[in-house]
Amino acid sequence: MLLISVTSSHGPTAFSGSAKNTMSLVSGPGRGGVSKGGVPDELKLVVDKHVRYIQSLDTRQDELEYWLTEHLRLNGVYWGLTALHLLGHPEGLPRDATIDFVLSCQHENGGFGAAPGHDAHMLYTVSAVQILATIHAVEELDRRGKAGKAKVGQYIAGLQDRKTGSFAGDEWGETDTRFLFGAFNALSLLHLLSLVDVPKAVAHVHACANFDGGYGVGPGAESHAGQIYTCVGALAIAGRLDLVDRDRLGGWLSERQLLNGGLNGRPEKLEDVCYSWWVMSSLAMIDRLHWIDGDKLIQFILRCQDPEQGGIADRPGDMVDVFHTVFGVAGLSLLGFPGLAAVDPIYCMPKAITSRILSN
Ligand code: GRG
């Protein structure tokens, strides 16, 4: 039995950053597993250090990398906020400043860009909706947004190709199952799924299924764990998991676990903490989470932490960043790690929040 423990004060943590909240995606400052010999002394989840690491990200605006990652800013706020909620610190970012920043990224067309002045795109629009939903602020779209909630729904619905059912990411037309899932995710949280042709979209996802049970970016494309998450997630939201070959897909997903306990995203590739989310959430949605060795994966994720400065890296010895931090923590949550809030395997948001929204 793996020895695990959580260190956390669970007390309220003041946000010490600037008044606005623009989560930095700069990597580091620390590396995963730097403590003595590259592995933390004990396999502890250093909750307080992760909380402080996430809160510190907005203070690193003098680093070049902060500006080089501006095109991911709104996603970064979603990743940091979600990690804080799962770590038991939902108050970890200032609510008003977070709402202000999200609304400052909105366009007249209803969609959101990564940062103020950036073009609107599906992936930032989803993050915007997820952030507002998580902090109970969706109504701010109607109160203070440049365009109300209905306009956000129209922007997303306008990206569906009504002939194929697929979704583009933006006005330039590239399609990808990530964008279809994003549309389903955001529209269902807004209770606006009826704006799109759900059966056509479901048929498109089904056409992306491969002989190995997996799914890719489009019909005929190679199976990849990230795309599998989006396709299975979309089918779950549509209530069509009956279309999934659960045993075949579960077998392929369980083969993603390597000897060191970590998961890769497709055959012959390296393990990476983020697949703890893409692979395990998919397994959870098809009730096959027990097909991987959870204890070994927990150890792998904990070895990717920086036990001194917080944050989680893709693999031990690499620089930490907020993307790998949220998906490492979310993976631990799926595995029932003690002290963490339960994550919704479809939405990658706190389960308590999605349950409340979706039951209304
Ligand atoms: C709400 C959680 C959430 C997501 C929104 C954007 C999105 C929808 C889903 C992304 C799914 C995806 C494709 C994840 C994979 C990301 C990743 C690590 C890609 C790397 O791909 P390669 O080919 O890496 O560079 P490998 O590991 O195959 O070498």
Side-chain angles (χ1 to χ4, degrees):
M1 183 62 189
L2 173 66
L3 182 67
I4 45 180
S5 66
V6 184
T7 58
S8 171
S9 67
H10 283 284
T13 314
F15 179 75
S16 55
S18 56
K20 63 187 165 57
N21 172 31
T22 54
M23 183 75 57
S24 166
L25 294 173
V26 291
S27 57
R31 288 175 190 276
V34 288
S35 191
K36 294 181 202 140
V39 178
D41 307 349
E42 281 177 75
L43 288 176
K44 276 191 216 158
L45 180 65
V46 290
V47 171
D48 289 342
K49 293 195 171 151
H50 294 319
V51 169
R52 275 198 294 280
Y53 163 71
I54 293 165
Q55 291 175 324
S56 76
L57 291 172
D58 189 38
T59 64
R60 298 174 57 186
Q61 300 184 17
D62 56 345
E63 295 178 35
L64 177 61
E65 211 186 325
Y66 180 92
W67 299 105
L68 292 180
T69 53
E70 191 182 48
H71 64 291
L72 292 170
R73 197 75 76 222
L74 202 48
N75 299 143
V77 175
Y78 157 68
W79 296 328
L81 178 74
T82 303
L84 288 169
H85 274 253
L86 298 180
L87 288 164
H89 288 262
E91 77 298 337
L93 294 183
R95 183 173 185 273
D96 289 348
T98 301
I99 296 169
D100 289 346
F101 178 69
V102 171
L103 296 181
S104 75
C105 298
Q106 193 176 24
H107 282 247
E108 304 293 340
N109 65 11
F112 289 78
H118 286 227
D119 290 348
H121 190 285
M122 177 76 80
L123 294 183
Y124 311 119
T125 305
V126 183
S127 286
V129 171
Q130 289 185 288
I131 293 164
L132 294 177
T134 300
I135 58 178
H136 312 295
V138 168
E139 72 282 359
E140 297 293 334
L141 288 170
D142 289 322
R143 279 201 330 123
R144 291 203 283 137
K146 289 202 192 78
K149 172 178 138 170
K151 188 87 175 166
V152 180
Q154 280 163 24
Y155 169 78
I156 295 173
L159 292 171
Q160 185 175 33
D161 179 335
R162 298 282 166 160
K163 287 202 197 77
T164 65
S166 64
F167 280 81
D170 60 16
E171 59 184 307
W172 305 109
E174 179 197 12
T175 63
D176 185 317
T177 43
R178 282 178 306 157
F179 310 147
L180 188 153
F181 168 72
F184 274 31
N185 182 323
L187 289 175
S188 57
L189 291 172
L190 295 171
H191 301 289
L192 292 174
L193 205 49
S194 59
L195 293 181
V196 296
D197 189 336
V198 173
K200 263 269 160 65
V202 165
H204 177 74
V205 171
H206 197 43
C208 298
N210 290 323
F211 68 93
D212 55 16
Y215 299 82
V217 291
E222 178 190 4
S223 294
H224 186 290
Q227 307 299 148
I228 291 170
Y229 163 72
T230 65
C231 290
V232 176
L235 293 176
I237 291 171
R240 292 306 312 273
L241 283 175
D242 60 293
L243 293 173
V244 179
D245 185 338
R246 292 181 186 227
D247 285 343
R248 196 178 288 263
L249 175 58
W252 190 91
L253 288 168
S254 65
E255 286 171 3
R256 306 281 55 81
Q257 189 159 35
L258 305 180
L259 287 175
N260 61 18
L263 307 176
N264 65 15
R266 47 189 166 143
E268 306 302 325
K269 297 291 240 169
L270 285 177
E271 71 284 1
D272 182 321
V273 155
C274 74
Y275 293 114
S276 308
W277 176 257
W278 313 118
V279 171
M280 277 208 296
S281 57
S282 305
L283 284 168
M285 286 187 267
I286 60 169
D287 302 316
R288 301 288 185 279
L289 196 48
H290 55 291
W291 284 18
I292 55 154
D293 185 332
D295 281 353
K296 278 190 86 171
L297 181 54
I298 287 174
Q299 293 188 49
F300 174 77
I301 298 171
L302 295 179
R303 283 201 307 273
C304 294
Q305 299 178 102
D306 179 333
E308 280 134 26
Q309 307 195 67
I312 300 178
D314 56 356
R315 55 188 76 89
D318 286 352
M319 301 283 274
V320 304
D321 62 71
V322 68
F323 173 87
H324 291 93
T325 302
V326 66
F327 293 120
V329 170
L332 290 174
S333 169
L334 278 181
L335 289 167
F337 194 90
L340 296 180
V343 66
D344 185 321
I346 303 172
Y347 290 87
C348 196
M349 289 167 57
K351 182 81 186 133
I353 288 170
T354 54
S355 298
R356 188 186 51 80
I357 293 173
L358 298 170
S359 65
N360 281 336

